[in-house]
Amino acid sequence: MRTTPREFFEAVGRPVPGPRGDEREARLLKLYRQLPESHQRALLKDAEAMLQVTRIS
């Protein structure tokens, strides 16, 4: 019987780990590249604002 990591973590009531950092980064870049340029710029402004809020907190 084979069990996936997701099934294992769910079975023992633990949070399922998300994708690794490099996988998240690759996913974000793939999504970013699909956006029109105007939306890419807006996304960058949002990310910069989020970073500023994080630094203040």
Side-chain angles (χ1 to χ4, degrees):
M1 180 172 146
R2 291 199 163 194
T3 303
T4 66
R6 174 176 293 283
E7 292 169 333
F8 174 79
F9 280 93
E10 287 174 346
V12 296
R14 305 247 346 245
V16 178
R20 295 188 333 250
D22 56 338
E23 292 171 343
R24 286 191 312 267
E25 187 175 314
R27 182 173 171 222
L28 179 60
L29 184 56
K30 183 179 178 182
L31 293 170
Y32 174 84
R33 288 178 175 162
Q34 293 176 50
L35 293 170
E37 187 175 337
S38 62
H39 287 84
Q40 289 176 352
R41 289 184 181 150
L43 182 59
L44 287 173
K45 286 183 180 183
D46 288 346
E48 289 169 343
M50 289 169 58
L51 182 58
Q52 290 297 322
V53 170
T54 302
R55 288 181 178 161
I56 294 170
S57 301

